[in-house]
């Protein structure tokens, strides 16, 4: 992750500006990245999401997990719906499909 702000004067330790976002969080709190669930191959929608994130230099802002039986069971449990990929888990138990 490339930090573009060079001057740290008057800025708390836990403040960071990157190309696409500014993150402010208490130093003791760990910020969890959203989890993006993708099909391994053959899904044009998963490919478009990855290409879009890569083009905007945001691919490192999400944790990428692939379509496995374990992940399918987890997503089916928390969504209660038929699975669709890509799927973004914003926070634990909350998803966008």
């Amino acid at each position: 992750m490339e930090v573009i702000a060079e001057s740290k004067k008057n800025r708390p330790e836990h403040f960071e500006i990157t190309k696409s976002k500014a993150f402010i969080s208490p130093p003791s709190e760990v910020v969890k990245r959203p989890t993006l669930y993708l099909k391994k191959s053959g899904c044009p929608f998963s490919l478009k999401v990855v290409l879009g994130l890569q083009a905007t230099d945001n691919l490192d802002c999400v944790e990428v997990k692939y379509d496995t039986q374990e992940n399918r069971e987890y997503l089916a449990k928390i969504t209660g719906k038929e699975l669709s990929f890509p799927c973004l888990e914003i926070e634990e138990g909350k998803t966008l499909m």
Side-chain angles (χ1 to χ4, degrees):
M1 184 177 335
E2 179 182 345
V3 177
I4 56 175
E6 293 179 5
S7 172
K8 292 187 178 182
K9 186 178 180 182
N10 300 324
R11 190 174 298 151
E13 261 182 48
H14 56 276
F15 182 84
E16 181 178 2
I17 298 176
T18 63
K19 284 183 180 178
S20 60
K21 301 186 186 281
F23 297 98
I24 302 174
S25 61
S28 61
E29 182 182 320
V30 175
V31 178
K32 185 181 179 299
R33 297 181 299 171
T35 304
L36 179 63
Y37 293 91
L38 301 169
K39 284 238 180 200
K40 287 186 180 179
S41 63
C43 178
F45 304 111
S46 293
L47 177 62
K48 286 181 182 186
V49 167
V50 170
L51 291 176
L53 288 171
Q54 191 174 27
T56 58
D57 203 23
N58 286 310
L59 193 55
D60 60 342
C61 294
V62 295
E63 179 183 345
V64 177
K65 291 187 179 181
Y66 293 100
D67 179 21
T68 63
Q69 188 61 36
E70 181 180 308
N71 290 339
R72 279 182 171 264
E73 290 170 4
Y74 171 72
L75 290 172
K77 178 183 166 189
I78 65 171
T79 63
K81 299 178 184 177
E82 187 176 331
L83 293 180
S84 177
F85 289 94
C87 179
L88 180 67
E89 185 179 26
I90 303 166
E91 56 186 50
E92 194 164 331
K94 292 187 180 180
T95 61
L96 288 173
M97 286 195 259

